[in-house]
């Protein structure tokens, strides 16, 4: 079997992390879609392993958490019952924890929106932090139980958003979100600093995610067809976001700001991970 050059694999991965679909990448790079898919799987596995090993002991002060919705194969209402039971189709949620200062995505996990996913997500997040933090989430009820189990010492608050009318059936409202008309800051555990009770950075990262992954674009047919490939694409995205993409405010990557690495990565460094090599 012929092996693609480093330059060709770098080209393909660059197209994927910049928001192109598998088939569009296949056409532009002049390779088969099976080649693109296999490279995505290999890259996703390598990125997961690197993140698990090296994104640890993060010296964060403030963490923001949120969940972003997507679906695999079909939405819940259209998904075959057997595939839904096996977790291979239907709505899926990506849980994200981001450092508010360095903008580093410290932890992420794909699953449903229940405590079955919240608990392992929070345990993983807690294991990657070097010290006590202030943590803010939305008002999703499973957070409180998960925090109490995962963290021994934490300052935790909820940012509850109040929404008005929106997203109705009229032509000008059908695709629009409900309008946020106010917020309530609700301290829950410890003594959180009120001025830092916010989820703005993690919500902005969710926007970045939708812009850089075709699978998260709404009202298209670019959604994931397999849950495994969905997870690999997310792992690749967060590796690119943390280590390669220069944050416009920081002027460096989130991983550099958080001192997880001292080097500015390139997409070719992700290719080296696939080959079992450490970046320079």
């Amino acid at each position: 079997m012929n092996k693609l050059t480093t330059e060709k694999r770098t080209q393909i991965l660059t197209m994927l992390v910049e928001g192109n679909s598998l088939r569009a990448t296949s056409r532009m790079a002049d390779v088969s879609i099976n080649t693109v898919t296999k490279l995505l799987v290999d890259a996703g596995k390598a990125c997961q392993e690197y993140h698990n090993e090296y994104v640890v002991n993060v010296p964060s002060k403030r963490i923001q958490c949120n969940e972003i919705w997507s679906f695999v194969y079909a939405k819940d209402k259209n998904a075959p019952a057997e595939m839904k039971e096996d977790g291979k189709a239907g709505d899926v949620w990506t849980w994200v924890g981001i450092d508010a200062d360095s903008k580093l995505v410290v932890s992420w996990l794909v699953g449903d929106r229940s405590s079955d996913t919240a608990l392992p997500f929070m345990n993983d997040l807690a294991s990657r932090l070097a010290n006590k933090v202030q943590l803010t989430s939305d008002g999703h009820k499973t957070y409180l139980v998960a925090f109490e189990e995962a963290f021994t010492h934490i300052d935790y608050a909820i940012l509850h958003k109040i929404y008005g009318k929106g997203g109705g059936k009229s032509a000008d409202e059908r695709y629009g979100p409900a309008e946020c008309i106010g917020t309530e800051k609700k301290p829950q555990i410890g003594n959180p600093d009120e001025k830092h009770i916010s989820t703005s950075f993690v919500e902005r990262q969710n926007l970045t995610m939708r812009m850089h992954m075709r699978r998260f674009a709404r009202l298209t047919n670019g959604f994931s067809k397999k849950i495994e490939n969905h997870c690999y694409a997310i792992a690749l995205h967060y590796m690119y976001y943390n280590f390669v993409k220069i944050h416009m405010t920081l002027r460096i990557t989130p991983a550099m700001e958080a001192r997880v690495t001292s080097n500015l990565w390139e997409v070719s460094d992700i290719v080296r991970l696939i080959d079992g090599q450490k970046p320079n």
Side-chain angles (χ1 to χ4, degrees):
M1 178 178 177
N2 295 329
K3 183 177 180 180
L4 295 178
T5 64
T6 298
E7 291 74 17
K8 192 68 171 181
R9 287 183 290 169
T10 299
Q11 178 192 21
I12 293 171
L13 290 183
T14 300
M15 292 177 182
L16 292 177
V17 297
E18 289 296 344
N20 291 287
S21 67
L22 292 177
R23 293 190 181 279
T25 300
S26 170
R27 293 191 296 269
M28 290 187 290
D30 194 24
V31 295
S32 73
I33 190 170
N34 290 338
T35 298
V36 178
T37 303
K38 184 180 184 304
L39 182 59
L40 171 65
V41 171
D42 291 342
K45 289 179 179 179
C47 291
Q48 285 178 343
E49 292 174 0
Y50 191 90
H51 184 95
N52 287 337
E53 184 175 355
Y54 290 98
V55 182
V56 294
N57 295 321
V58 179
S60 176
K61 296 180 180 178
R62 291 173 290 276
I63 294 289
Q64 298 179 8
C65 292
N66 204 352
E67 325 87 57
I68 180 172
W69 172 84
S70 57
F71 67 93
V72 171
Y73 189 80
K75 294 180 181 178
D76 258 9
K77 63 179 181 180
N78 300 322
E82 293 183 0
M83 293 184 69
K84 282 183 63 175
E85 290 180 6
D86 294 338
K88 296 181 178 179
D91 296 352
V92 294
W93 295 81
T94 304
W95 298 64
V96 186
I98 189 173
D99 176 19
D101 296 308
S102 69
K103 312 305 183 292
L104 179 80
V105 172
V106 180
S107 180
W108 59 272
L109 186 64
V110 177
D112 60 16
R113 211 172 178 228
S114 72
S115 59
D116 291 338
T117 305
L119 288 173
F121 168 68
M122 281 301 154
N123 284 324
D124 181 73
L125 176 61
S127 70
R128 299 183 186 279
L129 299 173
N131 45 261
K132 178 182 177 181
V133 298
Q134 175 171 323
L135 199 150
T136 307
S137 74
D138 58 23
H140 189 39
K141 294 180 180 179
T142 57
Y143 275 117
L144 186 58
V145 176
F147 287 142
E148 291 178 339
E149 180 169 318
F151 290 90
T152 304
H153 302 288
I154 190 172
D155 295 321
Y156 170 53
I158 288 174
L159 183 72
H160 176 66
K161 292 189 175 182
I162 304 169
Y163 291 97
K165 183 181 178 181
K169 297 297 183 181
S170 65
D172 60 339
E173 293 180 333
R174 184 174 301 168
Y175 300 118
E179 180 184 1
C180 181
I181 59 176
T183 60
E184 293 179 349
K185 298 180 179 181
K186 300 180 178 180
Q188 299 292 313
I189 301 174
N191 187 31
D193 185 345
E194 185 172 342
K195 69 180 181 181
H196 292 300
I197 299 177
S198 171
T199 56
S200 297
F201 294 125
V202 68
E203 290 173 0
R204 179 58 181 84
Q205 203 291 315
N206 287 345
L207 172 61
T208 300
M209 194 175 189
R210 291 198 183 279
M211 293 172 64
H212 281 268
M213 269 198 291
R214 178 71 167 172
R215 296 162 190 269
F216 281 79
R218 296 184 177 96
L219 303 177
T220 74
N221 63 353
F223 55 87
S224 296
K225 312 307 185 290
K226 294 182 179 179
I227 185 64
E228 296 85 0
N229 291 353
H230 187 73
C231 294
Y232 293 140
I234 292 172
L236 174 62
H237 165 74
Y238 282 133
M239 178 62 73
Y240 175 76
Y241 170 82
N242 280 339
F243 289 86
V244 181
K245 182 178 172 65
I246 296 178
H247 194 281
M248 291 185 65
T249 302
L250 301 174
R251 303 295 183 182
I252 54 177
T253 64
M256 294 175 69
E257 181 70 12
R259 299 183 181 179
V260 175
T261 182
S262 59
N263 299 324
L264 175 61
W265 285 33
E266 297 179 352
V267 176
S268 58
D269 291 314
I270 299 178
V271 175
R272 292 189 181 92
L273 291 182
I274 299 173
D275 295 333
Q277 303 172 10
K278 297 289 178 64
N280 297 328

